Amino acid sequence: MERSSILERVFKLSERQTTPKQEILAGLTTFMTVSYMVIVNPLILSDAGIPKEAALAATIYAIVFSTILMALWANFPIVTGPGMGLNAFFTYSVVLGQGLSWQTALGAVFISGILFFLLTVTGIRSKIVDAIPNVLKASIAVGIGLFVAFIGLKNAGLVVANESTFVGVGNVLDKGPLLTIFGLILAAVLMAKHVKGALIISIFATTAVAMVVGFQAPPTAISDVFSATPPTIGDTFMQMDLKGAIAYGIFSVVFSFTIVELFDTLATLIGLSKKANLVDENGKIPNLNRALAADSVGTMASAIFGSTALNTYIENATGIAEGGRTGLKALTVAVLFLCTLFFAPLIDFIPSVATAPALIIIGSLMLSDIKNVNFDDFTEVVPAFLTIIMMPLTYSIAEGLAFGFISYTAIKLFTGRYREIHWMMYIITIAFFINFYMMSH
Ligand SMILES: Nc1nc2[nH]cnc2c(=O)[nH]1
Protein backbone atom coordinates (compact mmCIF):
# COMPACT_ATOMS: atom_id res chain seq x y z
CA MET A 1 0.00 0.00 0.00
CA GLU A 2 1.22 3.48 -0.81
CA ARG A 3 2.63 5.49 2.10
CA SER A 4 0.17 8.33 1.66
CA SER A 5 -2.79 5.98 1.76
CA ILE A 6 -1.57 4.39 4.99
CA LEU A 7 -1.35 7.87 6.52
CA GLU A 8 -4.76 8.64 5.05
CA ARG A 9 -6.32 5.54 6.58
CA VAL A 10 -4.75 5.94 10.02
CA PHE A 11 -5.12 9.70 10.40
CA LYS A 12 -8.06 10.59 8.09
CA LEU A 13 -6.08 13.50 6.69
CA SER A 14 -8.40 14.57 3.87
CA GLU A 15 -11.53 14.23 6.01
CA ARG A 16 -9.92 16.71 8.42
CA GLN A 17 -8.71 18.88 5.56
CA THR A 18 -5.02 18.62 6.23
CA THR A 19 -1.86 17.26 4.63
CA PRO A 20 1.20 15.36 5.93
CA LYS A 21 3.31 18.51 5.48
CA GLN A 22 0.88 20.65 7.47
CA GLU A 23 0.77 18.05 10.26
CA ILE A 24 4.54 17.69 10.48
CA LEU A 25 5.05 21.47 10.55
CA ALA A 26 2.40 21.80 13.26
CA GLY A 27 4.20 19.01 15.16
CA LEU A 28 7.48 20.92 14.96
CA THR A 29 5.82 24.08 16.27
CA THR A 30 4.21 22.22 19.16
CA PHE A 31 7.49 20.53 20.01
CA MET A 32 9.18 23.91 20.21
CA THR A 33 6.54 25.16 22.64
CA VAL A 34 6.39 22.11 24.92
CA SER A 35 9.97 20.80 24.85
CA TYR A 36 10.77 22.79 28.01
CA MET A 37 8.95 20.05 29.91
CA VAL A 38 11.89 17.64 29.55
CA ILE A 39 14.08 20.20 31.29
CA VAL A 40 11.72 21.56 33.93
CA ASN A 41 10.04 18.32 35.05
CA PRO A 42 13.21 16.35 35.96
CA LEU A 43 14.56 19.39 37.82
CA ILE A 44 11.40 19.58 39.92
CA LEU A 45 11.32 15.80 40.51
CA SER A 46 14.98 15.78 41.50
CA ASP A 47 14.10 18.15 44.36
CA ALA A 48 11.99 15.23 45.65
CA GLY A 49 15.10 13.02 45.62
CA ILE A 50 14.42 11.20 42.35
CA PRO A 51 17.74 10.71 40.52
CA LYS A 52 17.84 13.37 37.78
CA GLU A 53 18.92 11.13 34.90
CA ALA A 54 16.24 8.55 35.60
CA ALA A 55 13.64 11.31 36.07
CA LEU A 56 14.60 12.68 32.66
CA ALA A 57 14.33 9.30 30.95
CA ALA A 58 11.05 8.51 32.75
CA THR A 59 9.64 11.91 31.72
CA ILE A 60 10.49 11.34 28.07
CA TYR A 61 9.24 7.74 27.95
CA ALA A 62 5.96 8.72 29.61
CA ILE A 63 5.38 11.62 27.18
CA VAL A 64 6.22 9.46 24.17
CA PHE A 65 4.06 6.54 25.32
CA SER A 66 0.97 8.59 26.02
CA THR A 67 1.39 10.84 22.98
CA ILE A 68 1.67 7.81 20.68
CA LEU A 69 -1.60 6.48 22.17
CA MET A 70 -3.15 9.90 21.60
CA ALA A 71 -1.85 9.86 18.00
CA LEU A 72 -2.55 6.34 16.83
CA TRP A 73 -5.51 5.28 18.97
CA ALA A 74 -7.44 8.52 19.50
CA ASN A 75 -6.15 10.37 16.40
CA PHE A 76 -5.95 13.65 18.34
CA PRO A 77 -3.45 16.38 17.44
CA ILE A 78 -2.52 16.63 21.09
CA VAL A 79 0.53 16.10 23.28
CA THR A 80 0.36 15.14 26.93
CA GLY A 81 3.07 15.84 29.45
CA PRO A 82 3.78 16.10 33.16
CA GLY A 83 1.44 18.81 34.45
CA MET A 84 3.39 21.73 35.83
CA GLY A 85 1.48 22.15 39.05
CA LEU A 86 1.01 18.45 39.64
CA ASN A 87 4.77 17.91 39.53
CA ALA A 88 5.23 20.80 41.96
CA PHE A 89 2.49 19.37 44.15
CA PHE A 90 4.26 15.98 44.00
CA THR A 91 7.61 17.39 45.11
CA TYR A 92 6.93 20.35 47.34
CA SER A 93 3.66 19.29 48.98
CA VAL A 94 3.58 15.52 49.07
CA VAL A 95 7.27 14.62 49.41
CA LEU A 96 8.90 17.68 51.03
CA GLY A 97 5.77 18.97 52.78
CA GLN A 98 4.12 15.80 54.09
CA GLY A 99 7.37 13.85 54.29
CA LEU A 100 6.29 10.90 52.13
CA SER A 101 8.92 9.07 50.10
CA TRP A 102 8.96 9.72 46.36
CA GLN A 103 8.17 6.02 45.91
CA THR A 104 4.94 6.44 47.89
CA ALA A 105 4.10 9.57 45.95
CA LEU A 106 4.59 7.62 42.69
CA GLY A 107 2.19 5.00 44.13
CA ALA A 108 -0.39 7.76 44.63
CA VAL A 109 0.12 8.92 41.02
CA PHE A 110 -0.45 5.37 39.78
CA ILE A 111 -3.65 4.95 41.80
CA SER A 112 -4.92 8.30 40.49
CA GLY A 113 -4.25 7.06 36.94
CA ILE A 114 -6.31 3.93 37.59
CA LEU A 115 -9.14 5.97 39.12
CA PHE A 116 -9.13 8.42 36.22
CA PHE A 117 -9.21 5.50 33.78
CA LEU A 118 -12.07 3.74 35.62
CA LEU A 119 -14.04 6.98 35.90
CA THR A 120 -13.67 7.45 32.15
CA VAL A 121 -14.54 3.94 30.92
CA THR A 122 -17.46 3.45 33.33
CA GLY A 123 -19.06 6.77 32.40
CA ILE A 124 -18.91 7.99 36.02
CA ARG A 125 -16.70 10.80 34.75
CA SER A 126 -19.60 12.57 33.11
CA LYS A 127 -21.63 12.30 36.35
CA ILE A 128 -18.82 13.84 38.39
CA VAL A 129 -18.43 16.57 35.83
CA ASP A 130 -22.14 17.32 36.31
CA ALA A 131 -21.85 17.24 40.11
CA ILE A 132 -19.01 19.70 40.50
CA PRO A 133 -20.19 23.26 40.05
CA ASN A 134 -18.83 25.27 37.15
CA VAL A 135 -17.39 27.87 39.48
CA LEU A 136 -15.08 25.31 41.10
CA LYS A 137 -14.13 23.82 37.72
CA ALA A 138 -13.14 27.30 36.53
CA SER A 139 -11.17 28.09 39.68
CA ILE A 140 -9.02 24.94 39.70
CA ALA A 141 -6.94 25.88 36.64
CA VAL A 142 -6.54 29.47 37.84
CA GLY A 143 -5.34 28.35 41.28
CA ILE A 144 -2.88 25.90 39.73
CA GLY A 145 -1.60 28.70 37.50
CA LEU A 146 -0.88 30.93 40.52
CA PHE A 147 0.73 28.00 42.33
CA VAL A 148 3.02 27.26 39.38
CA ALA A 149 3.94 30.95 39.02
CA PHE A 150 4.67 31.19 42.75
CA ILE A 151 7.10 28.27 42.45
CA GLY A 152 8.80 29.99 39.52
CA LEU A 153 9.12 33.24 41.50
CA LYS A 154 10.53 31.34 44.46
CA ASN A 155 13.00 29.32 42.36
CA ALA A 156 14.18 32.60 40.89
CA GLY A 157 14.79 34.15 44.31
CA LEU A 158 12.33 36.92 43.44
CA VAL A 159 10.03 35.88 46.28
CA VAL A 160 11.77 34.84 49.50
CA ALA A 161 10.81 33.86 53.04
CA ASN A 162 10.45 36.71 55.51
CA GLU A 163 10.19 36.22 59.27
CA SER A 164 7.75 38.99 59.95
CA THR A 165 5.62 38.93 56.79
CA PHE A 166 6.08 35.27 55.70
CA VAL A 167 7.07 36.29 52.18
CA GLY A 168 8.89 39.24 50.72
CA VAL A 169 10.78 40.32 47.66
CA GLY A 170 14.31 38.94 47.19
CA ASN A 171 17.43 40.85 46.20
CA VAL A 172 16.17 41.77 42.77
CA LEU A 173 19.60 43.00 41.67
CA ASP A 174 21.35 39.71 42.49
CA LYS A 175 22.45 37.69 39.47
CA GLY A 176 19.83 34.92 39.88
CA PRO A 177 16.71 37.12 40.07
CA LEU A 178 18.09 39.40 37.34
CA LEU A 179 18.59 36.41 35.04
CA THR A 180 14.99 35.33 35.61
CA ILE A 181 13.71 38.84 34.91
CA PHE A 182 15.71 38.81 31.68
CA GLY A 183 14.24 35.40 30.69
CA LEU A 184 10.75 36.46 31.67
CA ILE A 185 10.78 39.63 29.59
CA LEU A 186 12.34 37.76 26.65
CA ALA A 187 9.73 34.95 26.82
CA ALA A 188 6.84 37.40 27.15
CA VAL A 189 8.03 39.53 24.21
CA LEU A 190 8.57 36.45 22.02
CA MET A 191 5.14 35.10 22.95
CA ALA A 192 3.50 38.45 22.27
CA LYS A 193 5.14 38.36 18.83
CA HIS A 194 3.93 34.77 18.29
CA VAL A 195 7.47 33.46 17.92
CA LYS A 196 7.50 29.67 17.93
CA GLY A 197 9.44 28.10 20.77
CA ALA A 198 9.38 31.27 22.90
CA LEU A 199 9.79 29.34 26.16
CA ILE A 200 12.61 27.05 25.07
CA ILE A 201 14.42 30.01 23.44
CA SER A 202 14.11 31.91 26.72
CA ILE A 203 15.46 28.92 28.70
CA PHE A 204 18.51 28.58 26.44
CA ALA A 205 19.15 32.33 26.15
CA THR A 206 18.97 32.78 29.93
CA THR A 207 21.28 29.79 30.42
CA ALA A 208 23.76 31.28 27.94
CA VAL A 209 23.72 34.65 29.72
CA ALA A 210 24.09 32.82 33.06
CA MET A 211 27.26 31.21 31.67
CA VAL A 212 28.63 34.50 30.37
CA VAL A 213 28.15 36.27 33.72
CA GLY A 214 29.66 33.38 35.67
CA PHE A 215 26.43 32.23 37.32
CA GLN A 216 26.57 28.81 35.66
CA ALA A 217 29.61 26.77 34.58
CA PRO A 218 29.55 26.13 30.80
CA PRO A 219 29.94 22.69 29.20
CA THR A 220 33.54 21.91 28.28
CA ALA A 221 33.19 18.87 26.05
CA ILE A 222 30.77 17.48 23.48
CA SER A 223 29.93 14.73 25.98
CA ASP A 224 28.56 17.44 28.32
CA VAL A 225 25.87 18.11 25.74
CA PHE A 226 25.33 14.94 23.73
CA SER A 227 25.53 11.27 24.58
CA ALA A 228 25.07 8.35 22.19
CA THR A 229 23.93 6.24 25.16
CA PRO A 230 20.66 7.67 26.42
CA PRO A 231 19.86 7.74 30.16
CA THR A 232 17.89 4.80 31.57
CA ILE A 233 15.01 4.52 33.99
CA GLY A 234 16.86 1.83 35.99
CA ASP A 235 16.75 3.84 39.25
CA THR A 236 13.03 4.56 39.11
CA PHE A 237 11.38 1.81 37.07
CA MET A 238 8.69 0.04 39.13
CA GLN A 239 9.91 1.78 42.28
CA MET A 240 6.43 3.03 43.16
CA ASP A 241 5.16 1.95 46.55
CA LEU A 242 1.48 1.10 46.21
CA LYS A 243 1.16 -0.44 49.66
CA GLY A 244 2.66 2.68 51.23
CA ALA A 245 0.30 4.90 49.25
CA ILE A 246 -2.73 2.95 50.45
CA ALA A 247 -1.49 2.44 54.02
CA TYR A 248 -0.73 6.09 54.60
CA GLY A 249 -4.34 6.90 53.83
CA ILE A 250 -3.40 9.74 51.54
CA PHE A 251 -6.92 10.28 50.40
CA SER A 252 -6.45 13.95 49.69
CA VAL A 253 -3.28 13.37 47.69
CA VAL A 254 -4.81 10.72 45.42
CA PHE A 255 -8.01 12.74 45.23
CA SER A 256 -6.15 15.90 44.22
CA PHE A 257 -4.18 14.13 41.51
CA THR A 258 -7.36 12.54 40.16
CA ILE A 259 -9.49 15.68 40.27
CA VAL A 260 -6.82 17.80 38.63
CA GLU A 261 -6.13 15.21 35.92
CA LEU A 262 -9.84 14.91 35.29
CA PHE A 263 -10.75 18.58 35.12
CA ASP A 264 -7.56 19.99 33.69
CA THR A 265 -7.41 17.38 30.94
CA LEU A 266 -11.11 17.52 30.19
CA ALA A 267 -11.28 21.30 30.05
CA THR A 268 -8.12 21.55 27.97
CA LEU A 269 -9.19 18.77 25.59
CA ILE A 270 -12.57 20.36 25.00
CA GLY A 271 -11.02 23.78 24.41
CA LEU A 272 -8.41 22.40 22.02
CA SER A 273 -10.90 20.18 20.15
CA LYS A 274 -13.05 23.23 19.47
CA LYS A 275 -10.01 25.07 18.12
CA ALA A 276 -9.15 22.07 15.92
CA ASN A 277 -12.74 21.70 14.61
CA LEU A 278 -13.01 18.21 16.08
CA VAL A 279 -16.52 18.80 17.45
CA ASP A 280 -19.20 17.06 15.37
CA GLU A 281 -22.58 18.44 14.28
CA ASN A 282 -24.21 17.21 17.54
CA GLY A 283 -21.71 19.11 19.65
CA LYS A 284 -19.95 15.87 20.62
CA ILE A 285 -16.24 15.20 20.36
CA PRO A 286 -15.71 11.79 18.73
CA ASN A 287 -13.05 9.72 20.50
CA LEU A 288 -13.01 12.04 23.53
CA ASN A 289 -13.09 9.02 25.84
CA ARG A 290 -10.13 7.52 23.99
CA ALA A 291 -8.17 10.73 24.46
CA LEU A 292 -9.00 10.76 28.19
CA ALA A 293 -8.09 7.08 28.44
CA ALA A 294 -4.76 7.76 26.67
CA ASP A 295 -4.03 10.45 29.24
CA SER A 296 -4.92 8.20 32.20
CA VAL A 297 -3.03 5.16 30.89
CA GLY A 298 -0.13 7.55 30.26
CA THR A 299 -0.27 8.62 33.92
CA MET A 300 -0.10 4.97 35.04
CA ALA A 301 2.86 4.36 32.73
CA SER A 302 4.49 7.54 33.98
CA ALA A 303 4.31 6.32 37.60
CA ILE A 304 5.72 2.94 36.56
CA PHE A 305 8.62 4.66 34.75
CA GLY A 306 9.24 7.09 37.63
CA SER A 307 7.57 10.38 36.74
CA THR A 308 4.47 12.29 37.75
CA ALA A 309 0.90 12.57 36.43
CA LEU A 310 0.27 13.65 32.84
CA ASN A 311 -2.02 16.39 31.65
CA THR A 312 -3.08 17.63 28.26
CA TYR A 313 -0.90 20.65 27.62
CA ILE A 314 -2.59 23.98 26.98
CA GLU A 315 0.36 24.83 24.69
CA ASN A 316 -1.03 22.41 22.07
CA ALA A 317 -3.03 25.41 20.94
CA THR A 318 0.04 26.69 19.07
CA GLY A 319 0.31 23.61 16.82
CA ILE A 320 -3.44 23.62 16.27
CA ALA A 321 -3.24 27.26 15.24
CA GLU A 322 -0.60 26.11 12.71
CA GLY A 323 -3.15 23.72 11.20
CA GLY A 324 -2.50 20.48 13.13
CA ARG A 325 -5.69 18.42 13.03
CA THR A 326 -4.72 14.76 13.43
CA GLY A 327 -2.63 12.26 15.34
CA LEU A 328 0.13 12.68 12.74
CA LYS A 329 0.98 15.97 14.41
CA ALA A 330 1.17 14.25 17.81
CA LEU A 331 3.24 11.41 16.36
CA THR A 332 5.74 13.94 14.98
CA VAL A 333 6.13 15.44 18.45
CA ALA A 334 6.60 11.98 20.02
CA VAL A 335 9.43 11.18 17.59
CA LEU A 336 11.13 14.53 18.32
CA PHE A 337 10.88 13.85 22.06
CA LEU A 338 12.63 10.50 21.56
CA CYS A 339 15.53 12.39 19.95
CA THR A 340 15.91 14.57 23.07
CA LEU A 341 17.06 11.47 24.97
CA PHE A 342 20.47 11.93 23.37
CA PHE A 343 20.84 15.46 24.74
CA ALA A 344 20.26 14.36 28.34
CA PRO A 345 23.66 15.54 29.70
CA LEU A 346 22.69 19.13 28.85
CA ILE A 347 20.20 19.24 31.68
CA ASP A 348 22.97 19.56 34.28
CA PHE A 349 23.88 22.92 32.77
CA ILE A 350 20.47 24.56 32.96
CA PRO A 351 20.00 26.53 36.19
CA SER A 352 16.56 26.81 37.76
CA VAL A 353 16.63 30.60 37.31
CA ALA A 354 16.48 29.86 33.56
CA THR A 355 13.41 27.60 33.84
CA ALA A 356 11.60 29.91 36.29
CA PRO A 357 10.36 32.25 33.52
CA ALA A 358 8.59 29.32 31.83
CA LEU A 359 6.75 28.51 35.07
CA ILE A 360 5.70 32.12 35.54
CA ILE A 361 4.45 32.37 31.94
CA ILE A 362 2.49 29.07 32.23
CA GLY A 363 0.84 30.58 35.31
CA SER A 364 -0.32 33.52 33.24
CA LEU A 365 -1.68 31.21 30.49
CA MET A 366 -3.81 29.37 33.04
CA LEU A 367 -5.58 32.51 34.30
CA SER A 368 -8.14 32.76 31.51
CA ASP A 369 -10.78 30.52 33.14
CA ILE A 370 -11.41 33.26 35.70
CA LYS A 371 -13.86 34.77 33.20
CA ASN A 372 -16.22 31.85 33.93
CA VAL A 373 -16.70 32.93 37.57
CA ASN A 374 -19.96 34.81 38.14
CA PHE A 375 -18.77 37.82 40.09
CA ASP A 376 -22.32 38.98 40.81
CA ASP A 377 -23.09 35.99 43.02
CA PHE A 378 -21.28 36.04 46.35
CA THR A 379 -22.04 32.36 47.03
CA GLU A 380 -19.84 31.63 44.01
CA VAL A 381 -17.21 34.33 44.42
CA VAL A 382 -16.00 33.21 47.86
CA PRO A 383 -15.46 29.49 47.00
CA ALA A 384 -13.75 30.53 43.75
CA PHE A 385 -11.52 32.95 45.61
CA LEU A 386 -10.60 30.43 48.32
CA THR A 387 -9.77 27.73 45.74
CA ILE A 388 -7.57 30.16 43.85
CA ILE A 389 -5.81 31.88 46.74
CA MET A 390 -5.25 28.82 48.94
CA MET A 391 -3.34 26.85 46.30
CA PRO A 392 -0.32 29.17 46.21
CA LEU A 393 -0.54 30.27 49.85
CA THR A 394 -0.61 26.70 51.23
CA TYR A 395 1.73 25.48 48.49
CA SER A 396 -0.79 22.73 47.78
CA ILE A 397 -3.42 22.03 45.14
CA ALA A 398 -5.16 19.71 47.62
CA GLU A 399 -5.68 22.40 50.26
CA GLY A 400 -7.05 24.78 47.64
CA LEU A 401 -9.55 22.15 46.54
CA ALA A 402 -10.50 21.43 50.17
CA PHE A 403 -11.19 25.09 50.98
CA GLY A 404 -13.10 25.55 47.72
CA PHE A 405 -15.32 22.49 48.10
CA ILE A 406 -16.06 22.96 51.80
CA SER A 407 -16.86 26.66 51.46
CA TYR A 408 -19.09 26.07 48.43
CA THR A 409 -21.21 23.47 50.23
CA ALA A 410 -21.38 25.48 53.46
CA ILE A 411 -22.25 28.83 51.87
CA LYS A 412 -24.90 27.40 49.53
CA LEU A 413 -26.38 25.36 52.40
CA PHE A 414 -26.57 28.23 54.89
CA THR A 415 -28.00 30.66 52.36
CA GLY A 416 -30.82 28.17 51.76
CA ARG A 417 -29.66 27.38 48.22
CA TYR A 418 -29.15 23.70 48.99
CA ARG A 419 -30.95 22.68 45.78
CA GLU A 420 -27.86 23.84 43.91
CA ILE A 421 -25.68 21.34 45.78
CA HIS A 422 -25.35 17.96 44.10
CA TRP A 423 -25.44 15.04 46.60
CA MET A 424 -21.93 14.07 45.53
CA MET A 425 -20.67 17.44 46.78
CA TYR A 426 -21.77 16.56 50.33
CA ILE A 427 -19.74 13.35 50.16
CA ILE A 428 -16.67 15.15 48.82
CA THR A 429 -17.02 17.87 51.48
CA ILE A 430 -17.25 15.30 54.29
CA ALA A 431 -14.29 13.40 52.84
CA PHE A 432 -12.19 16.58 52.91
CA PHE A 433 -13.18 17.14 56.55
CA ILE A 434 -12.17 13.58 57.44
CA ASN A 435 -8.88 14.16 55.70
CA PHE A 436 -8.23 17.39 57.67
CA TYR A 437 -9.04 15.47 60.85
CA MET A 438 -6.66 12.64 59.97
CA MET A 439 -3.85 15.04 59.10
CA SER A 440 -4.16 16.83 62.42
CA HIS A 441 -4.01 13.61 64.50
N1 LIG B 1 -3.54 22.36 30.83
C1 LIG B 1 -2.31 22.33 31.29
N2 LIG B 1 -1.33 22.84 30.54
C2 LIG B 1 -0.09 22.78 31.05
N3 LIG B 1 1.07 23.20 30.52
C3 LIG B 1 2.03 22.92 31.42
N4 LIG B 1 1.53 22.31 32.48
C4 LIG B 1 0.21 22.22 32.28
C5 LIG B 1 -0.85 21.67 33.06
O1 LIG B 1 -0.69 21.17 34.16
N5 LIG B 1 -2.09 21.76 32.50
Side-chain angles (χ1 to χ4, degrees):
M1 194 183 286
E2 241 187 276
R3 201 180 65 210
S4 62
S5 65
I6 294 179
L7 291 182
E8 186 55 54
R9 215 176 38 156
V10 177
F11 297 113
K12 305 195 169 74
L13 298 174
S14 46
E15 188 185 306
R16 299 209 187 152
Q17 298 175 345
T18 180
T19 60
K21 187 175 158 207
Q22 187 169 315
E23 292 297 302
I24 290 168
L25 281 178
L28 269 172
T29 308
T30 308
F31 176 73
M32 295 287 285
T33 32
V34 298
S35 49
Y36 74 90
M37 65 170 101
V38 298
I39 295 169
V40 179
N41 193 52
L43 289 179
I44 290 181
L45 293 183
S46 67
D47 282 349
I50 299 187
K52 211 190 278 177
E53 287 240 321
L56 176 74
T59 301
I60 296 175
Y61 288 133
I63 299 166
V64 170
F65 175 78
S66 140
T67 302
I68 286 180
L69 275 184
M70 196 66 99
L72 298 179
W73 188 49
N75 194 18
F76 264 56
I78 277 168
V79 181
T80 52
M84 303 289 146
L86 278 184
N87 55 8
F89 177 60
F90 179 103
T91 293
Y92 304 112
S93 257
V94 181
V95 176
L96 299 181
Q98 298 189 28
L100 298 193
S101 69
W102 57 262
Q103 290 87 343
T104 307
L106 286 179
V109 170
F110 185 79
I111 298 171
S112 76
I114 295 183
L115 284 179
F116 182 15
F117 181 76
L118 290 177
L119 293 176
T120 302
V121 294
T122 55
I124 299 176
R125 167 188 68 85
S126 45
K127 296 205 170 60
I128 295 187
V129 170
D130 292 342
I132 297 191
N134 286 336
V135 59
L136 292 184
K137 286 179 201 152
S139 315
I140 291 172
V142 181
I144 294 175
L146 294 193
F147 178 39
V148 171
F150 186 38
I151 290 159
L153 291 165
K154 177 175 161 283
N155 287 354
L158 281 165
V159 173
V160 294
N162 182 303
E163 259 186 38
S164 39
T165 58
F166 271 127
V167 282
V169 69
N171 273 334
V172 177
L173 297 183
D174 279 357
K175 275 185 191 165
L178 270 183
L179 283 162
T180 297
I181 292 172
F182 164 77
L184 185 59
I185 293 174
L186 178 65
V189 169
L190 293 176
M191 290 196 54
K193 290 187 164 291
H194 304 290
V195 172
K196 293 163 189 121
L199 293 182
I200 197 85
I201 293 172
S202 151
I203 290 177
F204 282 127
T206 310
T207 301
V209 177
M211 288 170 181
V212 171
V213 299
F215 186 84
Q216 167 69 47
T220 51
I222 295 281
S223 60
D224 285 344
V225 175
F226 177 86
S227 166
T229 39
T232 70
I233 49 174
D235 285 342
T236 49
F237 184 66
M238 283 299 280
Q239 290 300 308
M240 62 185 185
D241 176 11
L242 287 177
K243 266 205 206 126
I246 296 164
Y248 189 78
I250 40 177
F251 163 81
S252 83
V253 173
V254 172
F255 182 75
S256 303
F257 275 123
T258 314
I259 285 281
V260 172
E261 284 158 38
L262 188 65
F263 285 114
D264 189 336
T265 292
L266 193 68
T268 313
L269 269 177
I270 293 174
L272 293 172
S273 301
K274 282 186 191 152
K275 275 198 169 72
N277 290 335
L278 298 179
V279 183
D280 70 15
E281 56 278 7
N282 306 317
K284 292 236 152 39
I285 300 168
N287 278 358
L288 179 65
N289 265 358
R290 282 192 184 188
L292 289 165
D295 198 309
S296 54
V297 174
T299 291
M300 289 183 235
S302 185
I304 292 173
F305 296 152
S307 179
T308 176
L310 302 185
N311 273 340
T312 294
Y313 263 46
I314 189 89
E315 292 90 335
N316 279 290
T318 52
I320 288 172
E322 289 279 292
R325 295 288 174 270
T326 74
L328 183 55
K329 177 203 128 174
L331 190 63
T332 308
V333 184
V335 171
L336 291 169
F337 267 119
L338 269 182
C339 301
T340 61
L341 273 170
F342 297 98
F343 294 92
L346 196 58
I347 192 163
D348 283 335
F349 292 90
I350 297 178
S352 59
V353 294
T355 53
L359 295 176
I360 300 166
I361 295 272
I362 297 304
S364 67
L365 291 182
M366 295 181 79
L367 278 189
S368 64
D369 270 352
I370 194 121
K371 63 180 182 289
N372 296 326
V373 174
N374 177 5
F375 286 99
D376 294 328
D377 183 348
F378 218 63
T379 64
E380 309 246 314
V381 173
V382 174
F385 181 65
L386 289 176
T387 309
I388 293 168
I389 191 102
M390 290 310 266
M391 285 193 195
L393 291 191
T394 60
Y395 228 64
S396 166
I397 294 174
E399 307 301 352
L401 291 176
F403 276 85
F405 277 85
I406 294 172
S407 62
Y408 180 89
T409 308
I411 295 170
K412 289 281 182 195
L413 190 65
F414 296 125
T415 47
R417 290 167 63 175
Y418 44 83
R419 279 199 195 85
E420 293 171 41
I421 312 172
H422 194 283
W423 59 265
M424 221 183 258
M425 286 294 291
Y426 289 111
I427 296 178
I428 297 174
T429 302
I430 291 167
F432 268 125
F433 259 119
I434 294 173
N435 192 63
F436 272 140
Y437 177 80
M438 286 187 341
M439 292 212 331
S440 63
H441 284 75

